[in-house]
Amino acid sequence: MDSIFIEGLRVEARVGVYERERVAPQTLMIDLQLGLESEAGRSDELATTIDYARVIDRVKAEVEGQYFCLLERLGGHLVEMLFAEFGPAWVRMKIAKVGVRAEVKNVGILLERQRGNGKAEAQESAIGKLE
C-alpha cells in the first residue's frame, strides 16, 4: 500500500506530568506515515491524495495549542484528528521528547492505528518501524 510520510517534524509542546513540563514548552519530534487509498499515482492530482503541508499545519496547531499529561493521549488525539480530517487507511506515528534526560537521546511512543468499520482500531506496532 502507498503512503506519505513526514519525518522529523519539530514542535514545541506542553506535555508531561511533572510541574516543569506543565510550565515550559519542550521540543517534540514527530514522525508520521499515512496510508493512501488513492489514485494519486495515476491522476497526478493533489485532490486524490493527502496534502502533507496541510497535515503538518494541523498537527502543529493541535500540539502547540493544547496541554496533555501523557504522550499516549497526545498521540491518540492526533490519530483521531488525522482520521477525521484526512481519511488515511492507517496511521503510524512516533512522538519523541527530545533531550528530556541527560543519559538518553529521546523518550517517546510509537502508535499504529488502522481504519476499520468506520473507526480506528489499535494494532500492535513493532519497535523501529518508522526508523
Side-chain angles (χ1 to χ4, degrees), residues 12-74:
E12 296 300 311
R14 289 186 317 114
V15 59
V17 295
Y18 301 109
E19 182 63 30
R20 69 181 182 278
E21 296 174 310
R22 288 186 222 145
V23 175
Q26 58 190 306
T27 301
L28 300 182
M29 185 76 69
I30 301 175
D31 294 340
L32 292 169
Q33 286 182 291
L34 305 173
L36 299 174
E37 291 181 7
S38 73
E39 298 295 317
R42 290 188 279 264
S43 74
D44 205 28
E45 296 291 329
L46 182 58
T48 63
T49 190
I50 297 173
D51 182 347
Y52 60 81
R54 286 188 50 232
V55 171
I56 291 168
D57 291 343
R58 286 296 293 126
V59 167
K60 286 182 71 173
E62 289 297 310
V63 172
E64 292 174 351
Q66 299 187 53
Y67 168 78
F68 295 90
C69 288
L70 301 175
L71 285 179
E72 292 84 348
R73 179 61 197 126
L74 169 59

Side-chain angles (χ1 to χ4, degrees), residues 48-120:
T48 63
T49 190
I50 297 173
D51 182 347
Y52 60 81
R54 286 188 50 232
V55 171
I56 291 168
D57 291 343
R58 286 296 293 126
V59 167
K60 286 182 71 173
E62 289 297 310
V63 172
E64 292 174 351
Q66 299 187 53
Y67 168 78
F68 295 90
C69 288
L70 301 175
L71 285 179
E72 292 84 348
R73 179 61 197 126
L74 169 59
H77 175 77
L78 291 175
V79 166
E80 292 167 8
M81 180 274 295
L82 291 167
F83 277 127
E85 294 185 23
F86 298 97
W90 49 266
V91 174
R92 290 185 189 122
M93 180 183 309
K94 178 179 175 181
I95 305 176
K97 289 183 177 183
V98 178
V100 71
R101 298 271 311 245
E103 66 270 26
V104 297
K105 181 178 176 181
N106 298 321
V107 299
I109 62 164
L110 296 171
L111 298 175
E112 184 172 327
R113 302 287 188 271
Q114 179 175 306
R115 184 178 294 284
N117 300 326
K119 63 178 183 165

